[in-house]
Amino acid sequence: MNPKNTLKLIAVCALLTGAAGVFSQQAHRPGQVHGSQNPPSSPANPYAGQQTREIKALSAAQAQDLLAGKGMEQAKAAELNGYPGPMHTLELAQQLELSAAQRLATEELLAKHKAEARALGAQLVQAERELDFAFSARQIDAAQLAAYTQRIGQLQAALRASHLQTHLQQTGFLTPQQVSRYAQLRGYGQSDPHSKHQP
């Protein structure tokens, strides 16, 4: 064979081998949809699939947690700074050696807080539903948007304040030693009960 033709054949084989490798990588890329540059699982489409939610801004789990009055990590500023919450205080009642009066006060506080959190959560879910409907129905303008978001912001603030206030009240029912013990039992380490608050 002519040396020039041999070189040409080698070059063509090299090009075909390279192209096959690239095609193989594209075909087997995890989550890649054939012919799609931005598949649903791609970081470029983090909201893909969420367009089917009843309320676009809330997952079903988030809505359920709000309606159930769950904490949703809204009291971390209190919990992680040495202010116990009533639910975990009751869970640790034996280790904390709660008195009958402390247990009763904690139970009443938790019941009151749960009722308030559920009511605020229900209002917040409804407010998000109304905002979602206004957008989906194309029935919204700048003034309405301001009203909707102001209402949602007020409810979010009230709900978080409720969670935090409950921790503040709960701490008032406990001795400094119990507050310190609570932190240990919850895995936060030793804390100085006199450093931030005096029950």
Side-chain angles (χ1 to χ4, degrees):
M1 182 180 290
N2 189 308
K4 288 185 179 180
N5 290 336
T6 301
L7 290 174
K8 285 182 182 179
L9 182 60
I10 292 172
V12 169
C13 288
L15 286 172
L16 289 174
T17 300
V22 171
F23 176 77
S24 177
Q25 290 176 4
Q26 293 291 334
H28 295 90
R29 184 173 295 167
Q32 179 77 34
V33 176
H34 182 66
S36 172
Q37 304 237 340
N38 294 308
S41 60
S42 166
N45 290 314
Y47 300 154
Q50 296 181 14
Q51 72 276 7
T52 60
R53 288 178 174 179
E54 179 190 359
I55 303 172
K56 307 303 181 289
L58 296 175
S59 68
Q62 287 172 323
Q64 289 171 3
D65 286 352
L66 285 168
L67 294 173
K70 292 188 177 181
M72 301 178 72
E73 301 186 346
Q74 296 196 64
K76 274 188 171 181
E79 175 75 13
L80 299 180
N81 277 300
Y83 290 80
M87 184 175 70
H88 297 307
T89 295
L90 289 173
E91 291 172 351
L92 301 170
Q94 186 174 355
Q95 296 96 314
L96 294 174
E97 299 180 350
L98 294 185
S99 67
Q102 285 177 317
R103 184 186 289 269
L104 179 60
T106 299
E107 289 172 346
E108 290 177 347
L109 175 62
L110 181 60
K112 178 183 175 183
H113 166 64
K114 280 293 186 182
E116 183 177 52
R118 289 187 187 112
L120 288 169
Q123 292 177 58
L124 181 53
V125 169
Q126 180 58 29
E128 288 284 5
R129 180 179 286 112
E130 291 171 3
L131 174 65
D132 190 87
F133 177 78
F135 271 103
S136 67
R138 300 294 193 273
Q139 296 177 359
I140 191 166
D141 57 26
Q144 292 170 320
L145 175 60
Y148 281 125
T149 53
Q150 183 176 19
R151 172 65 174 156
I152 289 170
Q154 289 171 341
L155 288 168
Q156 289 173 330
L159 182 58
R160 189 175 185 203
S162 175
H163 286 290
L164 291 168
Q165 179 64 28
T166 300
H167 282 248
L168 196 62
Q169 290 179 262
Q170 178 60 53
T171 304
F173 299 154
L174 304 175
T175 67
Q177 292 72 28
Q178 287 172 319
V179 171
S180 181
R181 179 65 175 146
Y182 176 95
Q184 287 181 310
L185 292 169
R186 292 284 290 158
Y188 309 142
Q190 180 68 39
S191 63
D192 180 0
H194 300 285
S195 62
K196 294 176 182 174
H197 44 260
Q198 287 285 348

